[in-house]
Amino acid sequence: MQDEIIRYENVGVSFGSKKVLSNFSLNIPKGKKILMKGKSGVGKSTLFKTLLGFEKISEGSLYYRGKLLNPQLSWQVRKEVAYVSQNTDLGEGPVKALLEEVHAYRPNRKKMDPEKLHMFMGELELEEDILEKNFENLSGGEKQRIGILIALLLGRDVFLLDEATSSLDSGLKKKVADNFLKHGDWTLVIISHDREWEREEVEIIEIGKTDPIEE
Amino acid sequence: MTSPDISIPSLMLCFFLLVIPLAISYRIKLHISWTTIDAVARMTVQLVLVGVFLTYVFDLNNGALNMAWVLGMVIIASYSTIRNIELKMEKLLLPVILSFIAANLSVLMYFNKFVLDLGNLLEARYLIPIGGMILGNSLKGNIVGMGVFYEDIRRNENRYIYNLSLGASMYEALMPYIRKCLRSALRPTLANIATTGIVFLPGMMTGQILEGASPMLAIKYQISIMIAIYVSTTMSTVFSILSTIHTTFDEYGLVKKEIYREKGKKKENKKRI
């Protein structure tokens, strides 16, 4: 299918002898918005990491734009998909330097648009002076918003958001959700416990509802 | 004027000085008596062997043999670098040996050719001691540099992985780690260079002055050797990092967990990003 972005087919992942995911199937076409829910430890984040090549699947197949995922393709995914990690330890030093470093990576060159930067910062309610502050001294919520800011600045249209809004206040959660959901052409895969993401246009998927089957 | 010989009884008198640290250790229960005796015994045996071998090597002064000696030192230096940084040998030894050869031998040859203007580049009495000084310092620099690099990449793997997810190539994502490790590796050498002559007279200079060389000649040697050491330490650390990356990272750009030797305590298993 032309419009298919990501497809999990009976995917299973194990860490050593522990099975964190089994028999997971999901087809994500372009423009689709999916909210993944489920208790922590059921392997939601792992689904993102397998696509990015940070965890290996132990069974089943994973396709990106119709092609079976392999090491080369996972490098391609990293250039085309914007990932907001649940972990907010993104770096150190002034925020501005952090943004510059990200834009110095080959696939991201020429994408740092000051106008866009200020627009996104406004939407995320980030003050101008945050750019001069050291990232490691920011609050959890600020760090999280910088992660979202970077993802937006990259100008990509497939997003993997892993608990991207967990530390924001409810007004801001809604605002962030609105901003992401208003783009009909964006493909969004969201892991979140926040109700603000539960909208009409968002398909909700429960992960790990049935216990993993022992073999 | 040359240095007076040290007779065996005189050497014994020098060993006798060790009574002082041993007495202190005994009196205040420092528990380093055995370690001291062990270290001194090791040093003595090693140096006696080296003395015997070097006597032959210097007498023969055969270019191939001299080079073999230096290569032997390279292998030992590479081996002890990896041993000291808690990494496993198999994936690292060959790239580190090749890096040491490329960095240190090229500086050594340049030094012998252009600085000392030697007719025979493989002349034992220059090749071996100067090679030893360059290698010894590269060894120290690499222990710090490689140690910092691999420890940092393990501790801050989340940041590294995040940068990969943004589309960074392996080199782009590793650059902050490479910068940090080089700074750590070179800082002691730079501090050493900056304080030479004020705080201490380096061993080589002391040796030459004892041998009756003029202080001016001794300082010219010292300046040249310090520069050679700085250059070779920089080169060997860069080469070691760049060449080991190829064997220690997988095709997804992730560091292979199996290169780490587990230390005494079990490392916590970080799985979250």
Side-chain angles (χ1 to χ4, degrees):
Chain A
M1 204 169 83
Q2 195 68 48
D3 283 332
E4 168 192 301
I5 306 287
I6 303 161
R7 180 156 50 99
Y8 295 91
E9 229 177 60
N10 305 316
V11 167
V13 181
S14 310
F15 298 140
S17 57
K18 192 182 168 237
K19 228 177 201 180
V20 290
L21 260 175
S22 73
N23 222 8
F24 178 81
S25 297
L26 179 66
N27 188 351
I28 305 170
K30 188 170 168 50
K32 183 100 179 168
K33 278 83 179 152
I34 287 178
L35 175 61
M36 295 194 192
K37 296 179 72 176
K39 291 193 193 117
S40 49
V42 296
K44 299 185 298 296
S45 300
T46 305
L47 285 171
F48 287 177
K49 287 182 216 166
T50 53
L51 180 66
L52 292 160
F54 301 144
E55 300 286 359
K56 286 154 196 103
I57 60 175
S58 39
E59 53 198 58
S61 340
L62 175 46
Y63 298 87
Y64 175 71
R65 293 191 195 269
K67 279 181 259 173
L68 189 64
L69 195 76
N70 59 29
Q72 287 75 28
L73 191 58
S74 69
W75 287 98
Q76 192 62 32
V77 172
R78 296 169 192 175
K79 291 176 190 163
E80 297 178 1
V81 168
Y83 169 56
V84 178
S85 158
Q86 179 181 16
N87 186 295
T88 52
D89 175 28
L90 310 180
E92 57 192 355
V95 171
K96 201 174 178 185
L98 208 66
L99 296 181
E100 276 161 5
E101 171 114 20
V102 171
H103 286 86
Y105 301 152
R106 194 172 291 274
N108 307 337
R109 297 214 181 129
K110 293 186 197 157
K111 279 180 191 158
M112 180 77 141
D113 177 351
E115 230 168 88
K116 265 192 174 169
L117 174 66
H118 291 125
M119 185 184 84
F120 290 139
M121 282 180 68
E123 285 175 3
L124 292 166
E125 298 178 12
L126 289 166
E127 304 288 335
E128 272 305 302
D129 65 349
I130 203 165
L131 294 175
E132 313 299 329
K133 290 188 187 159
N134 280 336
F135 183 80
E136 61 271 29
N137 298 333
L138 302 183
S139 71
E142 287 173 320
K143 286 181 179 173
Q144 204 160 47
R145 279 179 280 165
I146 297 296
I148 300 172
L149 177 68
I150 291 173
L152 290 169
L153 283 170
L154 295 177
R156 301 176 182 179
D157 59 6
V158 180
F159 291 83
L160 306 177
L161 309 178
D162 192 352
E163 294 292 0
T165 48
S166 61
S167 309
L168 307 182
D169 64 57
S170 119
L172 203 49
K173 280 181 211 260
K174 185 177 178 304
K175 203 165 166 187
V176 170
D178 285 342
N179 271 315
F180 272 98
L181 293 170
K182 74 182 176 196
H183 296 271
D185 56 332
W186 281 6
T187 310
L188 303 179
V189 191
I190 304 145
I191 295 172
S192 181
H193 292 94
D194 296 333
R195 298 222 161 259
E196 285 76 0
W197 290 101
E198 295 175 16
R199 308 279 179 86
E200 199 180 332
E201 65 269 44
V202 179
E203 183 182 337
I204 299 176
I205 290 178
E206 288 282 343
I207 311 255
K209 237 183 171 175
T210 51
D211 286 319
I213 310 124
E214 295 292 332
E215 280 178 48
Chain B
M1 189 196 89
T2 56
S3 340
D5 189 21
I6 298 180
S7 64
I8 299 297
S10 319
L11 200 56
M12 287 303 153
L13 286 177
C14 188
F15 277 116
F16 182 68
L17 279 177
L18 288 172
V19 167
I20 299 168
L22 289 178
I24 293 174
S25 171
Y26 176 75
R27 187 73 185 79
I28 65 172
K29 299 190 171 61
L30 221 47
H31 301 303
I32 55 162
S33 308
W34 180 244
T35 320
T36 306
I37 293 169
D38 182 59
V40 172
R42 273 170 190 273
M43 171 187 75
T44 310
V45 172
Q46 282 159 207
L47 287 180
V48 166
L49 290 177
V50 167
V52 171
F53 281 125
L54 278 185
T55 308
Y56 282 111
V57 172
F58 278 48
D59 281 347
L60 288 170
N61 196 16
N62 173 301
L65 183 63
N66 299 345
M67 204 55 177
W69 183 277
V70 171
L71 288 177
M73 293 198 293
V74 166
I75 292 169
I76 293 167
S78 311
Y79 181 83
S80 62
T81 299
I82 302 168
R83 259 193 75 82
N84 271 287
I85 51 179
E86 307 278 341
L87 294 177
K88 284 188 188 154
M89 284 295 155
E90 44 180 299
K91 292 239 163 33
L92 289 140
L93 189 58
L94 190 62
V96 173
I97 288 177
L98 294 177
S99 305
F100 269 56
I101 289 177
N104 295 308
L105 287 194
S106 55
V107 172
L108 185 57
M109 288 300 127
Y110 182 97
F111 192 85
N112 284 357
K113 174 74 189 163
F114 298 107
V115 181
L116 299 184
D117 197 14
L118 295 182
N120 173 14
L121 294 184
L122 304 180
E123 176 81 37
R125 67 194 197 95
Y126 297 100
L127 188 78
I128 293 172
I130 292 173
M133 279 192 280
I134 289 178
L135 271 168
N137 284 281
S138 279
L139 167 71
K140 282 189 238 164
N142 271 271
I143 289 175
V144 175
M146 300 250 294
V148 166
F149 181 80
Y150 282 102
E151 191 50 46
D152 218 25
I153 205 77
R154 171 152 77 167
R155 192 177 319 138
N156 290 324
E157 202 187 12
N158 287 332
R159 284 184 195 175
Y160 170 68
I161 283 181
Y162 176 66
N163 288 334
L164 288 183
S165 83
L166 297 172
S169 70
M170 221 170 82
Y171 289 103
E172 287 170 329
L174 285 176
M175 202 39 83
Y177 299 86
I178 295 177
R179 273 187 216 118
K180 186 175 166 199
C181 94
L182 274 178
R183 272 192 221 110
S184 317
L186 297 177
R187 206 173 290 130
T189 310
L190 281 174
N192 220 347
I193 291 175
T195 53
T196 299
I198 304 174
V199 182
F200 71 110
L201 289 186
M204 185 184 67
M205 218 172 127
T206 312
Q208 284 183 306
I209 292 173
L210 284 175
E211 269 306 304
S214 81
M216 286 316 283
L217 178 64
I219 64 145
K220 282 190 277 183
Y221 266 87
Q222 193 58 47
I223 291 170
S224 323
I225 198 75
M226 287 297 227
I227 292 172
I229 284 171
Y230 182 56
V231 174
S232 62
T233 304
T234 310
M235 283 170 66
S236 61
T237 313
V238 172
F239 290 174
S240 292
I241 296 292
L242 293 183
S243 62
T244 52
I245 283 172
H246 290 285
T247 56
T248 53
F249 285 72
D250 64 14
E251 67 240 279
Y252 292 93
L254 304 178
V255 67
K256 295 175 187 163
K257 297 285 180 288
E258 66 265 27
I259 64 160
Y260 293 101
R261 272 191 287 142
E262 283 308 322
K263 294 178 193 171
K265 58 177 193 287
K266 260 278 194 244
K267 282 269 158 189
E268 76 273 42
N269 216 0
K270 282 183 292 184
K271 273 295 175 203
R272 294 182 53 221
I273 290 200

